[in-house]
Amino acid sequence: MILHPIECGNFKLDGGAMFGVVPKTIWERTNPADARNLVKVASRSLLIEDGNRLILIDTGMGDKQSKKFFGYYDLWGAFSLEKSLKEKGFHPDDITDVFLTHLHFDHCGGAIKRNENGLLTPAFKNAAFWSHKKHWGWATNPNPREKASFFSENILPIEESGQLFLLEGDDFILENTPLGFDVILVNGHTEKQMLPILKYHGKTIVFAADLIPTVGHLPLPYVMGYDTRPLLTMEEKSRFLNMACENDFLLFLEHDPYHQLVSLKETDKGVRMSENYTLKTFFE
């Protein structure tokens, strides 16, 4: 197995929305804001090269939305999903599986593209697309709070293509999935968000998605305003971080522009980052 970080494109989000009830004077120590109160956010996917399978975890927001839409998110940097894949020696047609942690637009928008005729089609024509059955139902019949994050143009074409596959189960750890790795299920951010657990060169790496989007979100009360059940997020973070420390997990961070892979340690204030790495510096 070989793991490749894939940079899908950076953007910015409102700092208050990213940290909920935590005051700006505190969260800005780790996530500085600009004059518009926006904080820098990465969109970092993970590519798993494993035998004949090439599995992409999340796809970023893509590029098919309008200029007005992207204007809300202050795109910065020169990264893109297709460019990053090319730099690793791959083409979208090489992808065999796309695993979607959840269906918010910044995690699945790149799964669908507009073709030369303006029609919506899968960006990975040879891939199976994986979601969770209960999350799929949640996303296709969205509640008012999340409606602005679930876009039908990102979701329905997957099903219409016949390339959709759904995982089932409610346990905290969903074992023995068809993709060859276990999955942690969490429900505070959105129903049945899935966090892949990867065994890699004797270590365990967890793709942290939106349970812990940045290092600044490690403290338990630091919960995004986007979360549908913030108190549940705190419980899930506590359970997960305790397990991560006990088992020496590494966290692969999807949204932190400054930290790709981090180790953890127990402190008198709770679990915090121990060391900051990249996949390359840690394993090569």
Side-chain angles (χ1 to χ4, degrees), residues 117-135:
N117 298 316
L119 300 177
L120 295 169
T121 61
F124 307 95
K125 67 179 185 180
N126 298 315
F129 290 80
W130 298 88
S131 184
H132 191 281
K133 184 175 182 178
K134 287 188 176 179
H135 181 67

Side-chain angles (χ1 to χ4, degrees), residues 236-247 266 271:
E236 291 170 337
K237 281 173 65 175
S238 178
R239 181 178 182 182
F240 169 69
L241 290 173
N242 288 334
M243 181 174 67
C245 279
E246 289 173 5
N247 294 280
E266 292 275 7
V271 177

Side-chain angles (χ1 to χ4, degrees), residues 9-22:
N10 299 328
F11 57 107
K12 293 183 180 181
L13 289 173
D14 182 83
M18 282 295 285
F19 288 92
V21 299
V22 179

Side-chain angles (χ1 to χ4, degrees), residues 47 95 126-127 151:
L47 185 66
I95 304 299
N126 298 315
F151 299 167

Side-chain angles (χ1 to χ4, degrees), residues 65-116:
Q65 306 301 137
S66 67
K67 184 177 179 180
K68 180 180 179 181
F69 171 85
F70 288 119
Y72 295 135
Y73 297 100
D74 231 12
L75 304 186
W76 60 280
F79 296 125
S80 73
L81 173 56
E82 192 161 345
K83 179 181 176 182
S84 191
L85 286 173
K86 185 177 181 180
E87 288 174 352
K88 302 298 181 182
F90 301 108
H91 186 274
D93 293 353
D94 298 329
I95 304 299
T96 63
D97 301 87
V98 176
F99 181 91
L100 300 169
T101 61
H102 59 298
L103 296 167
H104 289 168
F105 69 86
D106 56 317
H107 293 258
C108 73
I112 299 298
K113 66 178 183 179
R114 292 189 188 276
N115 65 17
E116 60 274 10

